[in-house]
Amino acid sequence: MAAMSGAIDDLDPSTLAVVLGRVRTPGGPVGPPVELTSTYHADGPFVYGRDENRTWAAFEEALGGLEGGRALTFASGMAAVAAVVESLPVGAVVVAPADAYKGTRGLLGELAAAGRLQLRSVDVTDAAATIAAADGADLVWLESPTNPSLGICDLAAVAAGARDAGATVVVDNTFATPLLQRPLDLGADVVVHSATKFLAGHSDVVLGATVTRDGEWYDRLLRRRSAHGGIGGPFETWLALRGLRTLAVRLERAQTTAALLATRLAAHPAVERVRYPGLPDHPGHDVARRQMRGFGAMLSFDVRGGAEPAEAVAQAVRLIVHATSLGGVETMVERRSRWRGEETTPPGLVRMSVGLEDVDDLWRDLDQALRAATGEG
Ligand SMILES: *Cc1c(COP(=O)(O)O)cnc(C)c1O
């Protein structure tokens, strides 16, 4: 895998996504094979399948190269989240977004209720309030854009303030992916991913990852992974790397479509509000412009009338898939507050993960669903 080093600094991320994680051996496979083994012959660099695997190493080289750090593969996004959180000492003070992936909020809430840590919930779109909360904290957990409200956090400002306060800064970069945002460059210590989403990209894998430049954090997370055994399957990892190869073209297409749909939704009489950082009137638009290479393929919209018509929209789509999750080739919607743990999410908020279908086909489906559900439009 050393074959590409030296030249990689000059390459565009879209190229890196294609070239990293390959071993260029004459007669060898062009892409890494799925390495299905529980153990390795003794006295070599690879020892046991819970600790290392060449398919992970290939995916980690590619993702680490894109984020600008060293990656570790985990069984799921939540396994990666848990590995970070459970590395903290008992009683640690954690600042976390009030609007964030509900699994992360749920885990932090449970650990706080059990006395394992202290939780300070903040609106991370308010940089000053987040920095103030970081005073005396051990860890500041950030998401930007946030799930599901698409809030934007000024990552550089908050990371600088949090580090001044002595806190470790973690960014869940699932929504943006390293092609649109590189939190380590903005001052974060650790990046967390649900590779289940855009990285793998085809709604057929559950996988997670961490990325860091900090040697101590890397060693700590590696020890967590081996100790807890929350490891990704080699086949899942292979699929995620296969998906990563096309991430740049998928994102380009999906975010172009997302921007068009956001504009059309904003003008639809059945829609009260569209949350997409690419819209000039989004409160985080200027920060997003500064810290992102693109505004992404996630958006949310609030259906006029609240929960009932919003649920009806999710039920009325025909082409678009009604399901939880995101980041796949197929456009998906769901009303987020149908889930327990999403009580603070507006009841009429429909989250949409934009996929690769034709924009006009998607718009016709959305429009008919909005009309059918609300009688408006
Ligand atoms: C889905 C998701 C997770 C959890 O990842 P899994 O792979 O489902 O365990 C974490 N963070 C965000 C932002 C997510 O969307």
Side-chain angles (χ1 to χ4, degrees):
M1 283 175 221
M4 287 308 302
S5 63
I8 63 167
D9 290 347
D10 304 330
L11 298 175
D12 187 79
S14 61
T15 308
L16 290 178
V18 174
V19 302
L20 290 177
R22 295 186 193 276
V23 183
R24 296 185 182 228
T25 311
V30 166
V34 188
E35 184 163 273
L36 292 171
T37 188
S38 61
T39 191
Y40 296 86
H41 289 289
D43 306 324
F46 284 67
V47 178
Y48 186 59
R50 178 159 36 77
D51 303 312
E52 52 252 321
N53 176 285
R54 283 182 189 81
T55 315
W56 300 348
F59 176 67
E60 288 164 359
E61 183 186 285
L63 180 60
L66 289 172
E67 288 283 9
R70 291 169 77 197
L72 287 166
T73 312
F74 284 85
S76 64
M78 281 311 298
V81 170
V84 173
V85 170
E86 288 170 11
S87 297
L88 296 170
V90 172
V93 176
V94 176
V95 175
D99 180 51
Y101 178 62
K102 75 176 172 63
T104 306
R105 284 189 292 108
L107 176 68
L108 291 171
E110 271 182 36
L111 293 174
R116 170 71 176 75
L117 52 81
Q118 286 179 58
L119 188 57
R120 295 178 185 166
S121 192
V122 292
D123 172 5
V124 297
T125 69
D126 183 341
T130 309
I131 292 166
D135 189 29
D138 295 281
L139 186 135
V140 175
W141 193 279
L142 301 172
E143 252 181 44
S144 189
T146 60
N147 182 2
S149 296
L150 279 295
I152 297 293
C153 171
D154 187 335
L155 295 176
V158 172
R163 290 186 87 166
D164 283 348
T168 295
V169 178
V170 181
V171 176
D172 183 333
N173 205 26
T174 299
F175 269 31
T177 86
L179 293 188
L180 302 184
Q181 173 172 283
R182 298 222 315 173
L184 299 180
D185 289 346
L186 299 170
D189 299 291
V190 181
V191 165
V192 168
H193 274 288
S194 171
T196 309
K197 315 293 169 54
F198 289 100
L199 300 183
H202 295 73
S203 308
D204 51 11
V205 174
V206 174
L207 199 77
T210 58
V211 193
T212 182
R213 287 177 189 159
D214 182 312
E216 271 179 40
W217 265 104
Y218 179 84
D219 291 344
R220 204 175 286 154
L221 293 168
L222 180 59
R223 285 199 306 275
R224 283 285 127 190
R225 185 174 71 176
S226 285
H228 287 187
I231 57 169
F235 183 57
E236 283 75 5
T237 310
W238 183 87
L239 280 171
L241 179 58
R242 189 184 203 265
L244 192 59
R245 300 301 188 207
T246 57
L247 178 62
V249 281
R250 284 188 286 111
L251 265 183
E252 206 176 291
R253 161 90 170 189
Q255 79 173 350
T256 301
T257 304
L260 284 165
L261 293 178
T263 307
R264 293 183 194 179
L265 281 166
H268 199 287
V271 174
E272 193 172 296
R273 175 174 174 188
V274 179
R275 302 161 192 264
Y276 183 64
L279 291 176
D281 63 354
H282 185 286
H285 179 68
D286 291 337
V287 175
R289 273 181 88 104
R290 218 169 42 234
Q291 73 187 13
M292 300 177 79
R293 268 185 123 188
F295 299 109
M298 293 301 301
L299 65 89
S300 292
F301 56 94
D302 300 18
V303 179
R304 228 176 262 292
E308 218 175 287
E311 190 58 39
V313 170
Q315 300 289 341
V317 290
R318 295 180 194 139
L319 174 71
I320 295 168
V321 175
H322 179 207
T324 199
S325 200
L326 58 108
V329 296
E330 53 292 282
T331 298
M332 276 182 194
V333 292
E334 75 166 331
R335 190 176 70 84
R336 271 313 268 183
S337 64
R338 72 191 170 116
W339 297 112
R340 204 193 310 166
E342 289 282 4
E343 289 78 12
T344 55
T345 298
L349 182 146
V350 174
R351 188 185 69 187
M352 181 157 68
S353 169
V354 178
L356 306 187
E357 305 90 335
D358 175 74
V359 63
D360 292 320
D361 289 339
L362 288 173
W363 178 247
R364 269 192 298 276
D365 191 31
L366 263 181
D367 182 47
Q368 71 75 24
L370 284 164
R371 283 166 193 263
T374 67
E376 295 209 53

